[in-house]
């Protein structure tokens, strides 16, 4: 059976999407918080290889869809038999991805990997997107990561050509729209470029997902980080703003800066307060804000800003008003046992609760407590 290349990382919303590796790793690879591709060299894959991979995906799709009845129900014994007859792990991995896309993902989306496909020449990207549309006409979403600087380097006509060919969604890790914070995290582009990129995507009719990272400017920049990010994102008014709370990863340059005292990492509550300011200052925009990553402490920050802003602020305020023991219980339980709400603390069993209370009793407030939280949270990224 044919196989195809996939990378490791994709946005959470693409957990059931087809993953097509168009480039390998990240062409920038220098953000001070990011360890995803450290030590790996960026490469573009040969066009013929990518096109062959699309053809392989399509042939697996045909095999899987041949095991459906007239109402689209899967013949699971036949699918299982085919899956277990495959000879290699790679074949099984590819087959499982296409099946998941068909069965659980409503044949909705494909995501182009790795970290910044928009760095590719437009003519090459167009050939890839056109082949995808030819082989997968049922797709509603063809999505990619795109850095602001790469998006700026495309002309409005190029972006429109890509949209017309089928590329209709971009995920962009702005993280912040504060120039000072962009400098601290070494993002490699400016807030002005972010605004230009966002407006160009809007003009081309491409759905925009922007990431905001509370806490990435540290204590010194927290207010400005929220205010500048809200100001630029309001001007773009993207379809989606996705929350990705900053978590200092051991081994990263920011971790070293924190140890050297040139960066002051924020507490969990500090980051929640920054998020609150950011949401508050988005007043007037219509974007859908969503906390769709396990790294975020508060998972129910979600809704259209123009309709749900007050409800989101109330929810954040409810957390901030918890007494310090309940707050700590929730912080730990969210990271260790993946509960979603402080009300879910009741669902923990006696041994889980006593484990949490033991840590609360024995780990002092302040830096030791934050270090404990970080040790659990950083495992999630
Ligand atoms: S651009 Fe994205 S993938 Fe590349 S280093 Fe920065 S955060 Fe990591």
């Amino acid at each position: 059976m044919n196989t195809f290349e996939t990378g490791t990382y994709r946005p959470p919303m693409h957990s059931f999407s087809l993953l097509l590796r168009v480039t390998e790793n990240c062409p920038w690879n220098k953000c001070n918080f990011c360890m995803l591709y450290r030590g790996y060299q960026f490469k573009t894959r040969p066009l013929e290889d990518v096109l062959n991979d699309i053809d392989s995906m399509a042939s697996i799709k045909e095999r899987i869809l041949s095991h459906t009845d007239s109402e689209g129900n899967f013949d699971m014994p036949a699918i299982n038999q085919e899956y277990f007859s495959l000879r290699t792990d790679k074949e099984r991995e590819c087959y499982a991805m296409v099946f998941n896309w068909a069965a659980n993902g409503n044949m909705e989306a494909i995501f182009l990997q790795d970290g910044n496909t928009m760095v590719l020449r437009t003519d090459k990207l167009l050939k890839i997107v056109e082949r995808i549309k030819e082989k997968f006409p049922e797709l509603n979403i063809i999505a990619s990561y795109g850095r602001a600087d790469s998006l700026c380097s495309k002309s409005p006509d190029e972006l429109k050509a890509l949209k017309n060919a089928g590329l209709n969604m971009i995920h962009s890790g702005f993280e912040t729209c504060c120039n000072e914070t962009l400098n601290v995290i070494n993002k490699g582009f400016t807030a002005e470029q972010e605004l230009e990129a966002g407006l160009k995507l809007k003009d081309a009719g491409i759905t925009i997902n922007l990431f905001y990272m509370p806490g990435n400017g540290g204590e010194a920049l927290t207010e400005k980080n929220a205010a500048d990010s809200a100001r630029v994102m309001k001007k773009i008014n993207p379809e989606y703003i996705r929350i990705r709370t900053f978590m200092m990863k051991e081994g990263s340059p920011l971790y070293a800066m924190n140890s050297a005292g040139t960066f002051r990492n924020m507490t969990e509550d500090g980051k929640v307060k920054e998020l609150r300011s950011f949401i508050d200052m988005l007043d007037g925009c219509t974007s859908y804000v969503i906390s769709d990553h396990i790294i975020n402490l508060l998972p129910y920050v979600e809704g259209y800003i123009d309709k749900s802003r007050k409800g989101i602020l109330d929810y954040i305020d409810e957390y901030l008003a918890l007494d310090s023991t309940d707050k700590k219980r929730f912080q730990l339980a969210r990271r260790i046992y993946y509960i979603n709400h402080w009300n879910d603390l009741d669902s923990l069993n006696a041994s889980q609760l006593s484990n949490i209370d033991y840590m609360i009793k024995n780990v002092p407030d302040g830096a030791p407590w934050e270090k404990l939280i970080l040790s659990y949270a950083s495992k999630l990224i």
Side-chain angles (χ1 to χ4, degrees):
M1 192 188 81
N2 293 329
T3 59
F4 51 86
E5 279 295 309
T6 56
T8 307
Y9 302 106
R10 42 88 189 142
M13 73 162 275
H14 290 291
S15 54
F16 293 124
S17 301
L18 296 171
L19 302 178
L20 175 69
R21 200 171 197 191
V22 173
T23 63
E24 293 178 29
N25 312 313
C26 169
W28 174 247
N29 215 8
K30 287 185 248 181
C31 294
N32 279 342
F33 62 89
C34 175
M35 301 295 287
L36 296 184
Y37 302 108
R38 290 271 160 170
Y40 295 97
Q41 189 119 46
F42 176 73
K43 288 184 206 150
T44 59
R45 296 188 62 223
L47 178 62
E48 273 316 304
D49 290 0
V50 178
L51 297 180
N52 285 338
D53 277 1
I54 297 167
D55 294 349
S56 296
M57 272 182 181
S59 85
I60 298 170
K61 173 185 80 168
E62 294 311 326
R63 287 176 70 164
I64 288 171
L65 293 185
S66 74
H67 302 305
T68 52
D69 64 20
S70 57
E71 291 173 356
N73 300 311
F74 290 101
D75 177 349
M76 287 313 296
I79 286 184
N80 279 330
Q81 190 181 24
E82 187 160 74
Y83 174 82
F84 287 111
S85 74
L86 299 173
R87 286 166 303 138
T88 66
D89 287 346
K90 183 76 189 160
E91 287 177 333
R92 284 187 285 276
E93 185 193 318
C94 292
Y95 189 92
M97 178 189 290
V98 179
F99 174 72
N100 265 325
W101 164 78
N104 302 316
N106 294 321
M107 302 190 192
E108 173 90 350
I110 188 168
F111 182 75
L112 310 184
Q113 297 174 303
D114 280 340
N116 178 25
T117 310
M118 296 305 283
V119 77
L120 284 185
R121 283 198 337 259
T122 301
D123 59 337
K124 187 170 175 182
L125 258 176
L126 279 170
K127 288 194 176 91
I128 292 167
V129 176
E130 282 160 2
R131 179 68 67 93
I132 291 171
K133 276 306 264 189
E134 179 197 330
K135 297 287 180 172
F136 291 89
E138 59 279 84
L139 285 168
N140 288 323
I141 297 174
I142 301 179
S144 166
Y145 282 130
R147 278 175 53 89
D149 50 353
S150 302
L151 293 165
C152 285
S153 74
K154 304 247 178 260
S155 71
D157 284 347
E158 286 179 297
L159 288 174
K160 280 177 195 157
L162 286 166
K163 166 69 179 15
N164 290 338
L167 181 79
N168 56 3
M169 182 177 281
I170 291 290
H171 297 262
S172 196
F174 280 15
E175 336 297 4
T176 171
C177 306
C178 163
N179 274 326
E180 289 85 339
T181 305
L182 285 165
N183 206 23
V184 167
I185 64 175
N186 196 31
K187 194 71 208 182
F189 48 70
T190 64
E192 291 70 28
Q193 285 174 293
E194 291 176 330
L195 181 60
E196 181 188 335
L199 295 178
K200 267 181 164 175
L201 288 174
K202 277 226 117 158
D203 190 44
I206 295 175
T207 299
I208 312 171
N209 297 266
L210 299 182
F211 299 165
Y212 172 62
M213 191 177 269
N216 62 357
E219 284 180 12
L221 289 167
T222 181
E223 283 171 28
K224 200 162 188 309
N225 205 33
D228 290 2
S229 300
R231 184 172 44 77
V232 174
M233 289 197 193
K234 266 168 76 165
K235 282 189 190 159
I236 297 170
N237 200 19
E239 282 81 359
Y240 299 96
I241 297 173
R242 298 181 183 273
I243 309 302
R244 300 282 182 273
T245 306
F246 171 67
M247 212 49 74
M248 203 170 59
K249 196 83 181 149
E250 202 164 345
S252 67
L254 271 176
Y255 192 93
M257 287 159 70
N258 189 61
S259 304
T262 53
F263 176 82
R264 289 195 61 190
N265 194 26
M266 295 181 71
T267 62
E268 285 283 275
D269 275 9
K271 290 183 245 183
V272 170
K273 285 177 190 160
E274 181 180 315
L275 174 63
R276 192 197 185 286
S277 300
F278 171 72
I279 302 278
D280 197 21
M281 286 186 274
L282 283 177
D283 189 18
C285 93
T286 58
S287 304
Y288 193 84
V289 174
I290 180 165
S291 165
D292 62 340
H293 197 290
I294 184 69
I295 201 67
N296 301 322
L297 181 64
L298 302 183
Y300 298 125
V301 171
E302 178 162 357
Y304 289 101
I305 283 294
D306 53 333
K307 299 189 182 91
S308 309
R309 182 169 141 275
K310 181 171 179 316
I312 294 171
L313 293 175
D314 288 348
Y315 161 63
I316 296 174
D317 287 341
E318 193 181 325
Y319 164 77
L320 289 170
L322 291 175
D323 70 35
S324 92
T325 303
D326 278 350
K327 238 187 221 170
K328 283 176 159 184
R329 280 190 178 132
F330 174 62
Q331 289 174 3
L332 266 182
R334 166 90 174 132
R335 305 313 188 185
I336 304 177
Y337 303 115
Y338 304 157
I339 67 165
N340 287 333
H341 198 283
W342 41 95
N343 294 338
D344 299 336
L345 285 167
D346 293 344
S347 67
L348 298 179
N349 63 37
S351 129
Q352 291 170 327
L353 268 178
S354 95
N355 179 29
I356 285 174
D357 284 341
Y358 178 84
M359 286 191 262
I360 290 175
K361 196 165 154 218
N362 289 288
V363 178
D365 276 344
W369 179 261
E370 296 299 329
K371 202 169 165 191
L372 176 73
I373 294 290
L374 183 63
S375 70
Y376 286 108
S378 60
K379 291 190 184 121
L380 305 174
I381 48 171

